[in-house]
Amino acid sequence: MRKGTALGLVLMLLLGLSGCAGKQEPAAENASIVVGFSQIGSESNWRIANTVSMEQAAKEIGYSLMTDNANQKQEKQIDAIRSFIAYRVDVIVFSPIVETGWDNVLNEAKQAGVPVILMDRMIETRDDSLYTAYIGADFYAEGRRAGEYLVRKADALGAEHLRIAEIHGTTDSTPMRDRQRGFMDVIRDDPRFTVIDSVDGDFLRSKGEECMRELLAKYGADGIDVIFAHNDAMMLGALDVLDACDDPSVKKMVLITVDGEKDAVDALKAGRINCVVQCTPDLGPAVMKLVGDLKAGKELPKVNHPDEGAFSDFDDLTDPAVEGF
Ligand code: AHR
């Protein structure tokens, strides 16, 4: 065998042993770690990307992930959690559709000794010991970012009075409650702003479309100056309606949305949306890290937020960092 060929073989073997292309093979014992994951549904591209992030991260680290999609039904999430407890999974990860109504089932998990990590959304409870950790966005900060953008925009426009219509997410969910609270805390005392309506779009594109149609029928295109939608799906649905409307006032509306999916960021670059507040769906790797730390007996920080920001028409939108998921 020639020297070069032998060296090549040794290199190939070494690469093979370390998992090729720099990727490490998951440790074999990781496969025995079973994570039960109760996902809300598939209501938005954010949610779909979040499920993919969880599945890929579990695959990369080698954990066995049991995913249940609850199709937006709290009862289905409760059933899924009960079946994870019966299966005796190592950790339950779940994204609660609304904040209330979890104490009983989480008490069952606690009694059975199965730890629970809340992912993406919080619960309202008097007993914090029902979950080990929360990992997800700081929705209050997101709402504030939307409000701060609006104040800056009003200053830039020299606006005296802006009428705001809010299309909010699922009633009583954490992002709905906290984005609204954060936004209102920034604008409430500023006399230039009036929230004329707040309607439930349930985080769905179809509902965003429906809400926009109703808002236009109720106030007319010249009766609304700002739309604050709690997610891109609803904003994109609303935009379909606005784009089909021939009243020139719709082009003057200030549009603020949350998430950062590609279509919304593209609409921002095209000048159709004014501000996209970021909310990352890519929580999988950090969730799996928490699972690993928990299994290793480490104490987890109770609250874990990813770093997020906002893109708007005040930014250089040709910057490659301005991109959607
Ligand atoms: O909980 C996160 C929110 O849920 C996202 O903003 C939205 O798109 C999703 O459906």
Side-chain angles (χ1 to χ4, degrees):
M1 190 182 286
R2 281 180 22 229
K3 209 174 157 196
T5 321
L7 190 67
L9 253 181
V10 171
L11 271 175
M12 275 168 63
L13 273 172
L14 283 175
L15 281 173
L17 285 176
S18 65
C20 288
K23 280 219 163 169
Q24 293 229 315
E25 284 297 317
E29 66 269 21
N30 283 0
S32 65
I33 296 179
V34 181
V35 179
F37 170 39
S38 165
Q39 180 59 291
I40 294 173
S42 321
E43 76 279 8
S44 60
N45 284 345
W46 188 99
R47 185 69 49 203
I48 293 163
N50 176 247
T51 305
V52 170
S53 168
M54 285 288 288
E55 287 169 351
Q56 276 176 356
K59 193 168 166 207
E60 259 162 44
I61 201 159
Y63 297 159
S64 309
L65 187 74
M66 295 170 71
T67 303
D68 182 90
N69 181 326
N71 291 313
Q72 324 303 127
K73 301 252 182 311
Q74 182 172 27
E75 318 80 76
K76 278 207 73 195
Q77 285 204 282
I78 291 172
D79 287 350
I81 293 169
R82 289 214 165 100
S83 67
F84 295 148
I85 297 168
Y87 193 84
R88 303 230 154 249
V89 299
D90 292 280
V91 181
I92 291 172
V93 176
F94 97 111
S95 184
I97 183 161
V98 288
E99 291 199 338
T100 50
W102 303 103
D103 279 31
N104 286 347
V105 72
L106 294 188
N107 254 312
E108 290 167 33
K110 188 177 168 184
Q111 297 311 318
V114 182
V116 172
I117 293 176
L118 302 177
M119 194 267 299
D120 165 43
R121 297 186 184 180
M122 270 300 285
I123 57 168
E124 194 181 290
T125 180
R126 289 214 185 114
D127 182 0
D128 279 359
S129 74
L130 293 180
Y131 63 94
T132 307
Y134 164 76
I135 171 154
D138 182 342
F139 297 118
Y140 177 77
E142 291 177 353
R144 287 196 68 94
R145 268 177 217 125
E148 282 154 8
Y149 166 79
L150 184 57
V151 170
R152 191 173 169 197
K153 187 72 179 176
D155 291 345
L157 293 172
E160 283 176 9
H161 186 221
L162 294 174
R163 295 153 300 175
I164 304 163
E166 178 186 53
I167 305 179
H168 67 72
T170 309
T171 298
D172 290 338
S173 67
T174 316
M176 179 267 161
R177 287 178 167 182
D178 288 0
R179 285 174 185 162
Q180 186 173 72
R181 200 164 50 86
F183 182 73
M184 289 309 296
D185 280 357
V186 174
I187 64 152
R188 187 179 292 108
D189 295 330
D190 190 326
R192 290 175 297 176
F193 305 118
T194 308
V195 177
I196 53 169
D197 216 332
S198 177
V199 288
D200 187 354
D202 210 10
F203 288 123
L204 294 165
R205 185 170 180 142
S206 57
K207 284 250 184 108
E209 206 178 311
E210 211 175 289
C211 289
M212 194 65 245
R213 243 185 256 115
E214 283 166 16
L215 288 167
L216 282 182
K218 199 161 162 192
Y219 301 98
D222 59 354
I224 305 168
D225 304 301
V226 179
I227 306 281
F228 171 39
H230 284 196
N231 82 344
D232 290 342
M234 297 185 296
M235 178 55 86
L236 291 166
L239 204 53
D240 288 342
V241 176
L242 296 178
D243 284 344
C245 175
D246 48 21
D247 188 321
S249 313
V250 297
K251 296 280 184 270
K252 286 193 263 161
M253 286 182 191
V254 176
L255 306 184
I256 306 170
T257 178
V258 190
D259 274 358
E261 67 171 83
K262 194 176 175 318
D263 285 354
V265 173
D266 287 349
L268 169 71
K269 289 180 181 172
R272 285 301 292 120
I273 286 179
N274 300 83
C275 175
V276 177
V277 176
Q278 277 184 305
C279 179
T280 180
D282 191 18
L283 299 171
V287 169
M288 298 310 152
K289 163 114 183 40
L290 290 179
V291 170
D293 286 352
L294 190 60
K295 291 304 290 176
K298 294 187 192 162
E299 186 146 340
L300 305 186
K302 194 80 179 176
V303 175
N304 305 265
H305 293 312
D307 282 339
E308 292 172 335
F311 302 131
S312 79
D313 50 12
F314 290 116
D315 297 321
D316 171 10
L317 298 173
T318 60
D319 186 329
V322 183
E323 59 166 352
F325 55 81

